[in-house]
Short mmCIF file of all heavy atoms in Angstrom, two decimals:
data_model
loop_
_atom_site.label_atom_id
_atom_site.label_comp_id
_atom_site.label_asym_id
_atom_site.label_seq_id
_atom_site.Cartn_x
_atom_site.Cartn_y
_atom_site.Cartn_z
N GLY L 33 153.85 191.24 121.59
CA GLY L 33 154.32 190.28 122.58
C GLY L 33 155.66 190.68 123.19
O GLY L 33 155.85 190.49 124.50
N ARG L 36 154.90 193.43 125.76
CA ARG L 36 154.24 192.88 126.93
C ARG L 36 155.27 192.14 127.81
O ARG L 36 155.25 192.35 129.00
CB ARG L 36 153.21 191.97 126.44
CG ARG L 36 152.30 191.38 127.59
CD ARG L 36 151.24 190.34 127.14
NE ARG L 36 150.60 189.57 128.19
CZ ARG L 36 150.17 188.42 127.98
NH1 ARG L 36 150.01 187.90 126.71
NH2 ARG L 36 149.56 187.71 128.96
N LEU L 37 156.24 191.53 127.14
CA LEU L 37 157.24 190.74 127.91
C LEU L 37 158.08 191.78 128.65
O LEU L 37 158.50 191.49 129.88
CB LEU L 37 158.08 189.80 126.91
CG LEU L 37 159.11 189.04 127.47
CD1 LEU L 37 158.51 187.89 128.37
CD2 LEU L 37 159.96 188.51 126.42
N MET L 40 156.33 193.13 131.75
CA MET L 40 156.29 192.10 132.85
C MET L 40 157.67 191.95 133.44
O MET L 40 157.69 191.94 134.78
CB MET L 40 155.82 190.85 132.34
CG MET L 40 155.60 189.83 133.36
SD MET L 40 157.08 188.75 133.75
CE MET L 40 156.35 187.38 134.41
N LEU L 52 159.40 184.10 135.54
CA LEU L 52 159.66 183.06 134.67
C LEU L 52 158.97 183.32 133.43
O LEU L 52 157.72 183.36 133.31
CB LEU L 52 159.08 181.58 135.23
CG LEU L 52 159.81 180.80 136.10
CD1 LEU L 52 158.99 179.55 136.42
CD2 LEU L 52 161.16 180.28 135.56
N CYS L 53 159.81 183.51 132.24
CA CYS L 53 159.27 183.99 131.03
C CYS L 53 159.44 183.06 129.94
O CYS L 53 160.68 182.87 129.42
CB CYS L 53 159.90 185.33 130.65
SG CYS L 53 159.69 186.60 132.03
N ASP L 54 158.41 182.42 129.45
CA ASP L 54 158.57 181.47 128.30
C ASP L 54 158.37 182.38 127.00
O ASP L 54 157.15 182.86 126.82
CB ASP L 54 157.56 180.40 128.38
CG ASP L 54 157.77 179.27 127.36
OD1 ASP L 54 157.53 179.61 126.18
OD2 ASP L 54 158.19 178.24 127.70
N ALA L 55 159.36 182.74 126.25
CA ALA L 55 159.24 183.52 125.10
C ALA L 55 159.47 182.73 123.85
O ALA L 55 160.72 182.12 123.65
CB ALA L 55 160.30 184.65 125.26
N GLY L 56 158.55 182.68 122.94
CA GLY L 56 158.60 181.84 121.72
C GLY L 56 159.73 182.41 120.71
O GLY L 56 160.23 183.47 121.01
N LEU L 59 160.70 186.17 119.21
CA LEU L 59 159.93 187.27 119.84
C LEU L 59 160.90 188.51 120.27
O LEU L 59 160.45 189.57 120.36
CB LEU L 59 159.38 186.65 121.32
CG LEU L 59 158.43 187.51 122.04
CD1 LEU L 59 157.17 187.77 121.20
CD2 LEU L 59 158.06 186.96 123.36
N SER L 409 163.51 181.72 128.50
CA SER L 409 163.86 180.69 127.36
C SER L 409 162.68 180.45 126.57
O SER L 409 161.59 180.87 126.97
CB SER L 409 164.29 179.40 128.24
OG SER L 409 164.39 178.24 127.25
N GLY L 410 162.84 179.71 125.43
CA GLY L 410 161.70 179.37 124.71
C GLY L 410 161.00 178.05 125.16
O GLY L 410 159.96 177.66 124.55
N THR L 411 161.62 177.51 126.18
CA THR L 411 161.03 176.07 126.55
C THR L 411 160.95 176.04 128.13
O THR L 411 161.71 175.11 128.66
CB THR L 411 161.83 174.94 126.01
OG1 THR L 411 163.22 175.22 126.36
CG2 THR L 411 161.75 174.83 124.45
N LEU L 412 160.23 176.84 128.77
CA LEU L 412 160.10 176.76 130.23
C LEU L 412 158.69 176.27 130.67
O LEU L 412 158.46 175.83 131.77
CB LEU L 412 160.32 178.26 130.85
CG LEU L 412 161.76 178.66 130.79
CD1 LEU L 412 161.88 180.13 131.43
CD2 LEU L 412 162.77 177.79 131.34
N ALA L 413 157.76 176.32 129.72
CA ALA L 413 156.36 176.02 130.07
C ALA L 413 155.86 174.90 129.10
O ALA L 413 156.46 174.73 127.94
CB ALA L 413 155.44 177.15 130.02
N VAL L 414 154.90 174.01 129.61
CA VAL L 414 154.25 173.07 128.79
C VAL L 414 152.83 173.60 128.70
O VAL L 414 152.10 173.48 129.59
CB VAL L 414 154.37 171.68 129.36
CG1 VAL L 414 153.65 170.75 128.54
CG2 VAL L 414 155.78 171.20 129.59
N GLY L 415 152.48 173.99 127.47
CA GLY L 415 151.19 174.83 127.41
C GLY L 415 151.26 176.04 128.15
O GLY L 415 152.20 176.83 128.02
N GLU L 416 150.47 176.33 129.16
CA GLU L 416 150.50 177.43 129.96
C GLU L 416 150.98 177.07 131.41
O GLU L 416 151.05 177.83 132.29
CB GLU L 416 149.04 178.05 130.13
CG GLU L 416 148.51 178.63 128.84
CD GLU L 416 149.28 179.78 128.39
OE1 GLU L 416 149.89 180.54 129.00
OE2 GLU L 416 149.33 179.90 127.12
N ASP L 417 151.46 175.81 131.51
CA ASP L 417 151.74 175.27 132.81
C ASP L 417 153.25 175.37 133.11
O ASP L 417 154.17 174.78 132.36
CB ASP L 417 151.34 173.76 132.95
CG ASP L 417 151.60 173.23 134.36
OD1 ASP L 417 152.00 173.94 135.27
OD2 ASP L 417 151.27 172.02 134.49
N PHE L 418 153.65 176.00 134.11
CA PHE L 418 155.18 176.27 134.58
C PHE L 418 155.48 175.26 135.82
O PHE L 418 156.60 175.44 136.32
CB PHE L 418 155.36 177.66 135.00
CG PHE L 418 155.54 178.64 133.84
CD1 PHE L 418 154.35 179.25 133.33
CD2 PHE L 418 156.72 178.98 133.33
CE1 PHE L 418 154.42 180.22 132.29
CE2 PHE L 418 156.76 179.98 132.21
CZ PHE L 418 155.66 180.49 131.71
N ARG L 434 156.45 185.43 139.44
CA ARG L 434 155.51 185.90 138.42
C ARG L 434 155.84 184.96 137.10
O ARG L 434 157.05 184.50 136.90
CB ARG L 434 155.69 187.31 137.92
CG ARG L 434 155.57 188.36 138.90
CD ARG L 434 156.02 189.65 138.55
NE ARG L 434 155.91 190.74 139.60
CZ ARG L 434 155.11 191.66 139.62
NH1 ARG L 434 154.19 191.68 138.67
NH2 ARG L 434 155.02 192.47 140.55
N THR L 435 154.79 184.59 136.32
CA THR L 435 155.08 183.74 135.19
C THR L 435 154.31 184.38 133.99
O THR L 435 153.40 185.02 134.17
CB THR L 435 154.57 182.29 135.40
OG1 THR L 435 153.14 182.33 135.69
CG2 THR L 435 155.18 181.64 136.44
N LEU L 436 154.92 184.21 132.81
CA LEU L 436 154.28 184.75 131.59
C LEU L 436 154.70 183.91 130.34
O LEU L 436 155.91 183.66 130.27
CB LEU L 436 154.67 186.20 131.40
CG LEU L 436 154.13 186.81 130.10
CD1 LEU L 436 152.55 186.85 130.18
CD2 LEU L 436 154.75 188.29 129.83
N ARG L 437 153.78 183.48 129.62
CA ARG L 437 154.19 182.70 128.35
C ARG L 437 153.72 183.61 127.17
O ARG L 437 152.57 183.83 127.17
CB ARG L 437 153.61 181.36 128.37
CG ARG L 437 153.94 180.59 127.07
CD ARG L 437 153.39 179.14 127.02
NE ARG L 437 153.71 178.55 125.72
CZ ARG L 437 152.85 178.43 124.71
NH1 ARG L 437 151.65 178.99 124.82
NH2 ARG L 437 153.23 177.86 123.54
N ILE L 438 154.65 183.98 126.28
CA ILE L 438 154.20 184.64 125.14
C ILE L 438 154.71 183.83 123.92
O ILE L 438 155.88 183.37 123.70
CB ILE L 438 155.00 186.09 124.96
CG1 ILE L 438 154.78 186.84 126.22
CG2 ILE L 438 154.74 186.80 123.71
CD1 ILE L 438 153.52 187.53 126.33
N PRO L 439 153.67 183.30 123.14
CA PRO L 439 154.05 182.53 121.99
C PRO L 439 154.80 183.18 120.93
O PRO L 439 154.88 184.47 120.88
CB PRO L 439 152.65 182.03 121.56
CG PRO L 439 151.73 183.13 121.94
CD PRO L 439 152.32 183.60 123.30
N SER L 440 155.43 182.43 120.09
CA SER L 440 156.20 182.91 118.99
C SER L 440 155.24 183.75 118.14
O SER L 440 154.15 183.45 117.94
CB SER L 440 156.86 181.87 118.17
OG SER L 440 157.28 182.41 117.00
N ARG L 592 160.19 170.62 122.06
CA ARG L 592 160.03 172.05 121.62
C ARG L 592 161.30 172.62 121.08
O ARG L 592 161.35 173.38 120.22
CB ARG L 592 159.44 172.94 122.81
CG ARG L 592 157.94 172.54 123.09
CD ARG L 592 157.44 173.42 124.17
NE ARG L 592 157.55 174.78 123.73
CZ ARG L 592 157.35 175.87 124.55
NH1 ARG L 592 157.15 175.62 125.84
NH2 ARG L 592 157.41 177.04 124.24
N GLU L 627 150.14 169.05 122.59
CA GLU L 627 150.19 170.02 123.74
C GLU L 627 151.52 170.83 123.75
O GLU L 627 151.62 172.03 124.13
CB GLU L 627 150.03 169.44 125.11
CG GLU L 627 148.48 168.94 125.22
CD GLU L 627 148.42 168.03 126.52
OE1 GLU L 627 149.50 167.82 127.18
OE2 GLU L 627 147.35 167.57 126.72
N ALA L 628 152.61 170.30 123.40
CA ALA L 628 153.92 170.83 123.41
C ALA L 628 154.20 171.80 122.22
O ALA L 628 155.06 172.65 122.28
CB ALA L 628 155.07 169.71 123.38
N LEU L 629 153.56 171.55 121.06
CA LEU L 629 153.87 172.30 119.83
C LEU L 629 152.72 173.32 119.58
O LEU L 629 151.61 173.30 120.14
CB LEU L 629 153.98 171.34 118.71
CG LEU L 629 154.96 170.17 118.91
CD1 LEU L 629 154.94 169.22 117.62
CD2 LEU L 629 156.37 170.76 119.09
N PRO L 630 153.08 174.39 118.74
CA PRO L 630 152.02 175.41 118.38
C PRO L 630 150.97 174.64 117.51
O PRO L 630 151.09 173.52 116.97
CB PRO L 630 152.92 176.36 117.54
CG PRO L 630 154.27 175.97 117.79
CD PRO L 630 154.42 174.50 118.26
N ASP L 631 149.75 175.24 117.53
CA ASP L 631 148.74 174.79 116.68
C ASP L 631 149.20 174.84 115.31
O ASP L 631 149.61 176.06 114.70
CB ASP L 631 147.41 175.62 116.92
CG ASP L 631 146.86 175.33 118.24
OD1 ASP L 631 147.11 174.23 118.81
OD2 ASP L 631 146.16 176.26 118.87
#
Side-chain angles (χ1 to χ4, degrees):
R36 184 182 166 202
L37 183 65
M40 186 268 199
L52 274 180
C53 305
D54 188 292
L59 190 66
S409 168
T411 52
L412 293 181
V414 178
E416 298 293 331
D417 188 4
F418 285 86
R434 300 168 184 256
T435 62
L436 179 66
R437 179 175 179 264
I438 305 286
S440 169
R592 287 183 63 194
E627 289 170 1
L629 303 179
D631 291 335

